[in-house]
Amino acid sequence: MSNTTGIPVIYSDEVREALHEGAAVVALESNVITHGLPYPDNAATARKVEDAVRAGGAVPATICVEGGAIKVGMTDEDIERFAALPGIPKVSSRDLPVVLAQGGPGATTVASSVVAAEIAGIPWFSSAGIGGVHRGAQETFDISSDLVQFTRSKVAVVCAGAKMILDLGLTLEYLETQCVPVVAYRSDDFPAFYCRTSGHRAPHRLDDEDLIARAVEAHWALGNHSSFLVTTPVREEDAIDSGEVDAAIREAVAEAARDGVSGQAITKYLMRAVDAATDGRSAKANMAVLASCAEAAGRLAAAHALHLAELKGA
Ligand code: PSU
Ligand code: MN
């Protein structure tokens, strides 16, 4: 497989074959393995998430940087190594050129994973909670480059909304301003990661996978070189009540300001604080929602692949 960018891409055999046949593939990030969850839960979760993509009907392609190349389809050994090794850096979009030049290794965030997915020819990506506009961004200017990257990469992104630690109203505003479609799949509200609702209604609701595939294609046919967000909420039985975590988040945000934590480190800091305040229950919900998003993404990618095959045959 070749790409026109000149960036070296190493595909796993399974992903290469699937793309060659026009079968459904879902890209996944590796930063959630290295920075999102503690070892050994991270390795087990990464494998569960890949299984969920398969259950949905697609081939998983977990992405990282290694050997000066973008790796598309990490092996089980790669995942275990990334999960166990401390110190693998978080690589967002702007870090990607530097880490590629240095060789790596690096763990890709949502932003850099969608860059990689587009280069690799994978139109679907799944995460659980995307980055967004941080609480207090009016002061700190902290807006995740995940959002900025969505304005530049032609990839459909399945998620359970944005992380609860963020300002979700402002995150939705940003997406609206930047013309990024947001569709809630079989639900009404914009979810909040491990909470089923953010208190904000999603701009659109679609229940049918084929309709979503058509909407994604229409977005790109209209000339938008940008992402298309599809949200799916955490399952009722895995969800955490937002009232329960809200106080913990407020406290953690204040503590972070006091401790001078900002920039790339803040997301992990806040997530860990909420995990501690909920006795690890939010981390459990985090793992569950990663899998439910991946399963939905597998289903949507499969419907999209079918739609493209029909267009070709017509
Ligand atoms: N920490 C977590 N879970 C995550 C992330 C960090 O506990 O999922 C990640 C994702 O990779 C996401 C990134 O793309 O954080 C966003 O970071 P920032 O807000 O610095 O852009
Ligand atoms: Mn940031």
Side-chain angles (χ1 to χ4, degrees):
M1 296 223 58
S2 64
N3 71 80
T4 53
T5 63
I7 300 287
V9 177
I10 300 169
Y11 295 88
S12 69
D13 290 343
E14 189 190 15
V15 171
R16 190 190 301 108
E17 254 161 58
L19 289 172
H20 187 73
E21 289 165 5
V25 178
V26 173
L28 300 163
E29 62 163 308
S30 49
N31 182 58
V32 69
I33 305 174
T34 54
H35 291 75
L37 297 162
Y39 184 79
D41 288 348
N42 53 357
T45 304
R47 279 189 289 267
K48 261 194 209 145
V49 169
E50 292 202 336
D51 290 345
V53 168
R54 290 183 202 285
V59 170
T62 306
I63 289 175
C64 70
V65 178
E66 213 165 30
I70 293 174
K71 212 173 214 180
V72 179
M74 291 172 75
T75 62
D76 277 350
E77 295 78 62
D78 291 333
I79 287 176
E80 181 59 36
R81 196 159 37 83
F82 269 58
L85 255 185
I88 293 184
K90 168 176 171 177
V91 176
S92 196
S93 296
R94 66 153 185 184
D95 312 306
L96 199 49
V98 179
V99 176
L100 277 168
Q102 287 174 320
T108 52
T109 63
V110 172
S112 55
S113 297
V114 298
V115 171
E118 186 176 9
I119 291 174
I122 302 173
W124 288 86
F125 169 81
S126 178
S127 170
I130 56 169
V133 180
H134 281 261
R135 297 179 188 209
Q138 298 90 330
E139 286 282 317
T140 62
F141 274 44
D142 194 346
I143 298 176
S144 172
S145 37
D146 291 356
L147 293 188
V148 178
Q149 195 59 53
F150 293 158
T151 71
R152 304 177 185 181
S153 294
K154 265 177 78 173
V155 175
V157 173
V158 181
C159 64
K163 291 185 189 58
M164 183 69 196
I165 56 167
L166 302 164
D167 187 321
L168 300 180
L170 290 186
T171 299
L172 277 168
E173 279 300 342
Y174 187 95
L175 292 167
E176 182 185 352
T177 301
Q178 295 293 342
C179 318
V180 176
V182 177
V183 167
Y185 172 47
R186 295 185 183 167
S187 49
D188 292 317
D189 286 356
F190 186 69
F193 195 38
Y194 39 58
C195 305
R196 281 179 61 86
T197 178
S198 60
H200 300 270
R201 249 180 133 73
H204 300 280
R205 169 181 178 145
L206 291 176
D207 289 1
D208 178 77
E209 295 86 17
D210 183 58
L211 265 189
I212 293 177
R214 282 165 199 274
V216 168
E217 279 304 307
H219 178 60
W220 293 332
L222 287 164
N224 297 294
H225 199 111
S226 62
S227 302
F228 188 111
L229 243 62
V230 183
T231 65
T232 177
V234 63
R235 276 188 312 240
E236 194 100 53
E237 62 268 33
D238 300 317
I240 291 204
D241 185 58
S242 59
E244 204 180 319
V245 275
D246 207 48
I249 292 172
R250 279 171 207 279
E251 205 167 293
V253 169
E255 256 164 41
R258 227 177 299 132
D259 294 353
V261 181
S262 64
Q264 271 207 325
I266 189 100
T267 298
K268 184 172 179 175
Y269 179 96
L270 294 177
M271 302 289 291
R272 290 287 192 276
V274 179
D275 291 348
T278 59
D279 265 338
R281 277 189 315 116
S282 67
K284 262 219 181 92
N286 186 348
M287 293 183 243
V289 72
L290 277 163
S292 66
C293 287
E295 205 263 337
R299 226 179 308 135
L300 290 162
H304 183 237
L306 202 65
H307 176 70
L308 293 181
E310 278 166 13
L311 284 180
K312 246 192 183 167

